[in-house]
Amino acid sequence: MAQVIDGKQVAACVTAGVSEATVALKLQTHVTPGLAVVIVGNDPASHAYVKAKSKMAKQCGFNSFQHSLPRETTQDQLEELVARLNADSTVHGILVQLPLPKHLDAEPVISAISPAKDVDGLHIVNAGKIATGDLSTGLVSCTPAGAMLLVKRIHGKDLSGLNATVIGRSNLFGKPMALLLLAANATVTVAHSKTKNLASVCRDADILVVAVGRPQMVKADWVKRGATVIDVGINRVLVSDSDSGKSRLVGDICYDEIAQVAGAITPVPGGVGPMTIAMLMANTVIAAYRSVGEVEPKF
Ligand code: GUN
């Protein structure tokens, strides 16, 4: 049976470190880290994520500023809010929850965020720093940073000699994840919807990271015996043997059968999910330290 990687526990270690760093910063400089979260429209799943982020920010001792904008918000209004938050010295981190309603273009909104406050790590400056191997002066995108911490729990910091395959090539996850694995010396393959013989590409992987957004797509016979499998998917599916319309969360892998083959595996829920929020808190406290020229904590 695979070792189950407890994302909740690792996330709790990270947020405990964030809280300590927050106390120290307040003592030394009287600065309280401030996180502004912007959400546009009424998507219930997005509102649930934003609520969780605001709650955790308060638990870490931050000032939490939530801006809930109506669905009809224009591109200009959204970019004006971002400009105000950039100029606000009590705000150290800005996150615009994605996806935005269809009439809004996310790319110029993300570009409008000051890179130093881009705690999502999505600005082209931060994405470029990861791409050039500079992991220390920018802000690293939260979900790949969190998934990478889980990989390091199993394999340590140096992935020399290990094959890592990432399925998915999004800017939000797949690309930065592949770059972080590469920076840790793994031999990296990025697979996607146009990849031929996906199962055999996956079978080469010592570390298999799956972010496809399709419930239980990856099967046990795609997985090398003893591999580490990181499941980034969060899919709500109906419980099949019930007429009640009840649903449950599943990842992108067939968890039960892969747990028989893998060496280590992340569950859904309780794997990568909690890490995303923890790394957002880590990025925010790092941004606050940098804003006053203090040496930042490491996570
Ligand atoms: N929507 C789903 N995941 C994320 C994320 O990590 N950041 C933002 N901004 N929106 C998201």
Side-chain angles (χ1 to χ4, degrees):
M1 259 317 249
Q3 175 185 345
V4 179
I5 307 172
D6 185 346
K8 267 196 199 162
Q9 189 224 321
V10 181
C13 285
V14 172
T15 51
V18 170
S19 300
E20 266 177 41
T22 301
V23 170
L25 184 69
K26 285 181 186 173
L27 275 174
Q28 284 158 26
T29 67
H30 304 289
V31 166
T32 299
L35 173 64
V37 178
V38 180
I39 180 164
V40 186
N42 304 315
D43 178 59
S46 291
H47 271 272
Y49 286 133
V50 163
K51 199 171 157 195
K53 288 169 184 175
S54 298
K55 188 175 162 197
M56 184 58 78
K58 283 179 200 145
Q59 277 177 20
C60 288
F62 297 176
N63 287 325
S64 169
F65 309 103
Q66 193 177 317
H67 296 265
S68 299
L69 306 181
R71 213 198 150 278
E72 312 71 57
T73 301
T74 65
Q75 187 83 26
D76 282 351
Q77 285 168 332
L78 183 54
E79 289 177 26
E80 276 161 24
L81 172 59
V82 168
R84 277 206 306 282
L85 296 171
N86 280 339
D88 184 340
S89 64
T90 66
V91 171
H92 304 97
I94 302 169
L95 178 143
V96 178
Q97 185 67 22
L98 302 174
L100 292 170
K102 291 233 165 4
H103 67 283
L104 295 171
D105 186 358
E107 198 279 324
V109 177
I110 291 165
S111 292
I113 298 172
S114 159
K117 296 189 179 188
D118 168 40
V119 282
D120 243 348
L122 299 180
H123 192 284
I124 207 153
V125 165
N126 287 317
K129 285 187 178 184
I130 305 181
T132 52
D134 172 2
L135 303 185
S136 51
T137 69
L139 291 164
V140 180
S141 177
C142 306
T143 306
M148 201 60 202
L149 267 193
L150 299 183
V151 168
K152 286 180 177 172
R153 284 276 162 138
I154 301 299
H155 295 280
K157 278 188 183 163
D158 186 1
L159 308 180
S160 293
L162 296 175
N163 292 336
T165 295
V166 181
I167 321 181
R169 55 173 160 175
S170 67
N171 291 335
L172 197 59
F173 184 80
K175 284 180 199 163
M177 185 71 210
L179 291 165
L180 293 178
L181 288 160
L182 192 59
N185 301 322
T187 302
V188 180
T189 302
V190 182
H192 47 79
S193 57
K194 304 283 191 284
T195 297
K196 256 193 189 172
N197 303 325
L198 182 57
S200 78
V201 170
C202 293
R203 271 193 296 271
D204 272 342
D206 302 297
I207 300 165
L208 179 61
V209 185
V210 187
V212 288
R214 288 180 178 223
Q216 300 173 312
M217 186 178 104
V218 174
K219 315 293 181 209
D221 63 356
W222 299 26
V223 174
K224 187 189 217 177
R225 186 157 289 281
T228 296
V229 182
I230 307 288
D231 187 354
V232 187
I234 302 177
N235 309 286
R236 190 162 282 287
V237 294
L238 286 175
V239 175
S240 56
D241 57 355
S242 138
D243 296 331
S244 63
K246 272 193 191 152
S247 66
R248 67 188 181 107
L249 290 180
V250 298
D252 291 348
I253 67 168
C254 290
Y255 181 88
D256 291 340
E257 58 178 63
I258 290 179
Q260 308 295 322
V261 179
I265 191 169
T266 59
V268 174
V272 174
M275 294 303 297
T276 299
I277 295 188
M279 298 319 287
L280 175 66
M281 302 304 131
N283 278 347
T284 305
V285 83
I286 287 170
Y289 268 74
R290 286 179 186 166
S291 75
V292 285
E294 292 284 321
V295 179
E296 70 206 50
K298 298 246 179 301
F299 296 96

